[in-house]
Amino acid sequence: MSVVLDSKVPSGPLEKKWEKHKFESKLINPANRRKYEIIVVGSGLAGASAAASLGEMGYKVKCFCYQDSPRRAHSIAAQGGINAAKNYPNDGDSVFRLFYDTIKGGDFRSREANVYRLAEVSVNIIDQCVAQGVPFAREYGGLLANRSFGGAQVSRTFYARGQTGQQLLLGAYSALCRQIAEGSVEMYPRTEMLDLVVVDGHAKGIVVRDMVTGAITSHAADCVIMATGGYGNVFYLSTNAKGCNVTAAYRAYKRGATFANPCYTQIHPTCIPVSGDYQSKLTLMSESLRNDGRCWVPKKKGDQRPPSEISDGERDYYLERKYPSFGNLAPRDIASRSAKEVCDEGRGVGPGGLGVYLDFADAVKRLGVAGVKERYVNLFDMYHQITSEDPYKVPMRVYPAVHYTMGGLWVDYDLMSNIPGLFVLGEANFSDHGANRLGASALMQGLADGYFVVPYTIGNYLAPQIGKRPGTDRPEFKQAEESVRERTKRFLGIKGKRSVDHFHRELGRIVWDYCGMARSEKSLQRALAQIPPLREEFWKNVNVPGEGEALNVSLEKAGRVADFLEFGELMCLDALERRESCGGHFREEFQYTAKDAEVREGKVCEGDVRRDDENFQHVAAWGYNGDGAKPERNVEPLVFETVHPSVRSYK
């Protein structure tokens, strides 16, 4: 499906675009807002903040989530902090520096205007959350504390120990609960979106399944907001909660929304290593730990001595060696590849050699155990409970794992997809992080989109739509609902011999091995050859026990894995077509070598990613062309008026 991708970025100087756009945007008076109904799918930071804000403005909102409560949205898993350009430490930060760090961190593959707006509104997010009672860490005198995160040389990250996401979500949840009590927001927990309804080319509703009763129903609205998170669970093992999935976004894709940069997935460098085939997910150790922890491996291959017996001179603090300016706070993609590199050399630690040390001995000497506990106590407790090792006394063992996804549904400056009336917020869209997200920026984007962007931009679509909301008796709703029912019957009727988890695990192995931290033309072609037969076997041999009109966890999983089996192919196809390395997308054929001038001049290290700005300085947004047909690759050129792409150096 070929489409025209109009970003609708306002004209004028970069620092004036958002203010100008807000002034020129259409307004809806308070009395008329009560005449509109808005559907919000997802109740994490982006969804909850959007639903609460729009309810406060007077719109009638329906908010759907598959969890039993919005408090259990995956946003609670974010640990380390949220970025904002407040410059409280007076160390040189500014809105422009946060904008620049984010553009550079994303390897110059994000839209300039959207990123500047994100940096601009970041300062308001902190004030909003403090007013809600979020218990950010404070200095002795009572001022809000900051710490550093990867990809920055300033301290701009606000935090609540190692549970920042949970505390921010409780703030958004309190605002949401107020609107529920006021009657402006109607909450639908344990309800999963299974299709998008498009009427006359506009998104006007959704089809959902009650996950307790199995009832399938339709809901109409004037527009639909999707804030459904990322697709990292396509890899099976990831740091995401097991319920996280691509279904809502993929349903929208199959209804005409373009999917942008699906190959952009982020590997987090500090996760507890895999310990066995029995695992269903991985556990994240916050990037904030790299403020005080030092990454190292033995210099000697195969050195299996306990870390206490390896002297400082026998250790390779590889990030400090390779990237002295940033050291252990190198961006996630660089830190992850560096960890893989030393493990591939045979210098990894722990079972199978798939681990590196994250050592806090120097921090304990400097701050004392009490000082380290004050910053990281819940993270250290979590590590101790999982591994039975005390990180105050011995180094943590960590290894990279799938974490965040920068790709998502394509959106314009208003955060509206190419389907009019379908808005996409937070991790579900592609717009802000390019090919690599800097740590502590996911929470910033989710709350920026929900609190400060979509409440302004949604009026541009809604103003001319007054009185045009269709009823659920329209044939488009009946067709979508029937499609969901038939799909459910198909799952239950296969009666195969393999579990849903079997197919999910096999898919995860393929995409991790061939489209994980390193990709190549050969590996991606292998993945594209192996996924279709696996999908075919799924539809012939999967076993989904139980009934459709009841609580059925296997049925929920089957729907999500079926979408992953299609989406995984799209992700690998996008990675194959993007013949360059950028950020987390590391194509082995495109890396700096010792022969390159940039390496000889000390700008980059041998093995760093090599972009191709001449041919790939664009967004690739894929359009669905029907089952079995190759999707259409649409392109939005990326124009940099303020920050010109350069060699991405952290040395």
Side-chain angles (χ1 to χ4, degrees):
M1 180 189 68
S2 182
V3 298
V4 176
L5 301 175
D6 181 5
S7 65
K8 299 179 182 175
V9 171
S11 60
L14 184 66
E15 66 275 9
K16 300 291 184 182
K17 288 182 187 293
W18 178 229
E19 203 63 39
K20 176 178 184 252
H21 191 65
K22 287 192 291 184
F23 179 75
E24 293 176 349
S25 291
K26 293 182 174 64
L27 298 177
I28 300 174
N29 77 59
N32 280 344
R33 289 179 206 151
R34 294 191 291 269
K35 300 175 184 178
Y36 291 95
E37 292 189 6
I38 299 171
I39 285 173
V40 177
V41 185
S43 61
L45 286 180
S49 59
S53 299
L54 295 168
E56 181 76 36
M57 293 172 71
Y59 294 106
K60 293 180 180 179
V61 180
K62 290 181 178 180
C63 186
F64 298 81
C65 71
Y66 63 75
Q67 298 91 352
D68 55 4
S69 165
R71 288 180 299 170
R72 292 176 64 84
H74 189 58
S75 298
I76 67 166
Q79 299 168 339
I82 176 172
N83 286 331
K86 286 284 196 180
N87 195 32
Y88 284 170
N90 196 31
D91 59 356
D93 200 12
S94 64
V95 167
F96 190 87
R97 189 175 295 278
L98 174 54
F99 154 72
Y100 176 79
D101 286 347
T102 306
I103 286 282
K104 177 184 174 184
D107 216 351
F108 303 95
R109 289 293 176 263
S110 48
R111 190 186 291 147
E112 205 177 50
N114 287 63
V115 177
Y116 190 88
R117 176 176 63 188
L118 176 64
E120 190 177 355
V121 303
S122 70
V123 297
N124 299 325
I125 297 171
I126 304 305
D127 298 337
Q128 170 91 358
C129 295
V130 168
Q132 290 173 337
V134 173
F136 287 121
R138 293 179 180 269
E139 304 288 1
Y140 178 78
L143 299 177
L144 295 181
N146 289 111
R147 59 188 177 199
S148 299
F149 257 63
Q153 292 178 302
V154 298
S155 295
R156 64 162 67 101
T157 304
F158 296 78
Y159 62 98
R161 286 190 174 175
Q163 51 184 259
T164 313
Q166 181 178 11
Q167 298 302 326
L168 291 173
L169 185 63
L170 288 172
Y173 177 66
S174 66
L176 180 62
C177 285
R178 180 176 181 274
Q179 296 309 313
I180 294 172
E182 292 286 332
S184 60
V185 175
E186 189 174 358
M187 193 71 217
Y188 291 83
R190 301 292 287 149
T191 307
E192 184 169 25
M193 172 187 162
L194 294 180
D195 210 346
L196 177 74
V197 181
V198 179
V199 178
D200 296 331
H202 291 241
K204 292 296 181 183
I206 61 175
V207 177
V208 300
R209 180 178 181 269
D210 186 310
M211 296 165 66
V212 177
T213 68
I216 295 170
T217 56
S218 297
H219 297 262
D222 292 284
C223 71
V224 176
I225 295 174
M226 282 180 47
T228 51
Y231 47 84
N233 274 348
V234 67
F235 291 89
Y236 186 73
L237 286 179
S238 82
T239 66
N240 291 269
K242 287 304 293 180
C244 295
N245 61 83
V246 77
T247 288
Y250 199 71
R251 298 290 101 202
Y253 162 74
K254 296 187 84 168
R255 290 294 182 183
T258 54
F259 212 112
N261 302 331
C263 75
Y264 287 170
T265 55
Q266 182 171 78
I267 313 297
H268 198 292
T270 53
C271 302
I272 297 178
V274 177
S275 57
D277 291 339
Y278 57 85
Q279 283 184 263
S280 61
K281 74 176 299 295
L282 299 174
T283 303
L284 172 71
M285 289 286 102
S286 170
E287 181 179 305
S288 62
L289 295 171
R290 289 197 280 142
N291 271 283
D292 293 301
R294 301 178 70 190
C295 297
W296 66 272
V297 292
K299 289 182 178 178
K300 182 181 177 182
K301 292 182 180 181
D303 192 339
Q304 297 299 312
R305 289 178 294 167
S308 60
E309 296 180 10
I310 302 175
S311 67
D312 204 60
E314 297 175 292
R315 301 177 179 185
D316 179 13
Y317 294 95
Y318 56 90
L319 288 175
E320 298 171 38
R321 169 176 56 83
K322 294 173 64 178
Y323 306 100
S325 294
F326 284 76
N328 294 295
L329 289 174
R332 289 177 177 177
D333 60 322
I334 289 174
S336 294
R337 280 193 298 275
S338 296
K340 180 180 185 297
E341 180 182 294
V342 295
C343 290
D344 289 348
E345 291 172 358
R347 297 192 287 138
V349 301
L354 292 178
V356 300
Y357 287 129
L358 185 59
D359 196 335
F360 293 88
D362 288 351
V364 170
K365 288 178 184 177
R366 186 177 72 255
L367 303 170
V369 171
V372 175
K373 280 187 175 181
E374 185 179 346
R375 298 181 181 187
Y376 309 115
V377 61
N378 63 308
L379 297 172
F380 276 50
D381 288 348
M382 186 191 311
Y383 184 86
H384 185 237
Q385 289 170 7
I386 292 172
T387 66
S388 297
E389 298 174 1
D390 185 351
Y392 296 104
K393 298 178 180 178
V394 297
M396 288 184 179
R397 288 178 296 106
V398 295
Y399 191 72
V402 174
H403 180 52
Y404 187 88
T405 55
M406 288 75 67
L409 294 181
W410 182 90
V411 292
D412 62 17
Y413 191 72
D414 281 350
L415 303 185
M416 188 166 72
S417 75
N418 59 290
I419 299 179
L422 176 62
F423 292 81
V424 190
L425 314 185
E427 190 178 1
N429 76 31
F430 87 100
S431 67
D432 291 359
H433 304 300
N436 174 62
R437 177 177 68 82
L438 292 184
S441 288
L443 305 184
M444 175 174 63
Q445 186 207 354
L447 291 180
D449 288 356
Y451 282 139
F452 297 109
V453 179
V454 84
Y456 283 100
T457 63
I458 202 168
N460 290 320
Y461 173 76
L462 287 179
Q465 294 294 315
I466 191 166
K468 295 182 180 180
R469 182 171 66 252
T472 55
D473 56 348
R474 285 282 299 251
E476 293 88 347
F477 282 89
K478 300 301 181 185
Q479 181 272 331
E481 196 172 309
E482 184 59 28
S483 175
V484 170
R485 293 183 194 279
E486 287 299 319
R487 187 176 174 85
T488 301
K489 290 178 183 177
R490 187 180 177 191
F491 284 133
L492 296 170
I494 297 172
K495 306 295 184 184
K497 296 181 180 180
R498 295 285 191 181
S499 69
V500 175
D501 281 344
H502 164 80
F503 290 99
H504 195 180
R505 193 185 297 272
E506 283 298 303
L507 175 66
R509 179 191 59 78
I510 293 169
V511 292
W512 175 250
D513 287 349
Y514 302 137
C515 192
M517 267 194 282
R519 300 107 184 252
S520 68
E521 183 169 356
K522 185 177 180 180
S523 75
L524 291 167
Q525 287 175 342
R526 283 181 181 174
L528 291 169
Q530 292 182 21
I531 292 174
L534 182 66
R535 184 169 63 242
E536 185 178 349
E537 185 192 354
F538 171 88
W539 285 108
K540 291 179 179 178
N541 201 28
V542 73
N543 184 277
V544 183
E547 303 173 357
E549 299 297 319
L551 177 67
N552 190 335
V553 176
S554 293
L555 178 60
E556 297 163 20
K557 286 183 181 179
R560 297 165 187 171
V561 172
D563 287 325
F564 276 139
L565 282 164
E566 294 186 25
F567 175 77
E569 187 174 4
L570 178 66
M571 186 174 72
C572 293
L573 180 61
D574 185 46
L576 179 63
E577 293 291 330
R578 185 167 285 277
R579 291 175 172 85
E580 67 163 351
S581 289
C582 56
H585 170 62
F586 180 58
R587 285 285 296 267
E588 293 175 345
E589 308 95 317
F590 307 101
Q591 56 181 298
Y592 285 103
T593 69
K595 298 179 181 179
D596 291 313
E598 292 86 351
V599 175
R600 296 197 307 271
E601 294 168 4
K603 295 179 181 178
V604 295
C605 292
E606 185 178 357
D608 280 354
V609 298
R610 185 172 197 143
R611 297 193 319 270
D612 180 354
D613 292 338
E614 183 177 351
N615 295 303
F616 291 98
Q617 190 172 293
H618 59 242
V619 177
W622 295 84
Y624 178 67
N625 274 336
D627 290 340
K630 185 178 179 180
E632 184 80 19
R633 189 177 190 269
N634 304 282
V635 167
E636 178 203 339
L638 290 171
V639 179
F640 294 94
E641 299 175 351
T642 305
V643 175
H644 299 291
S646 59
V647 174
R648 182 173 174 248
S649 174
Y650 288 94
K651 291 198 72 176

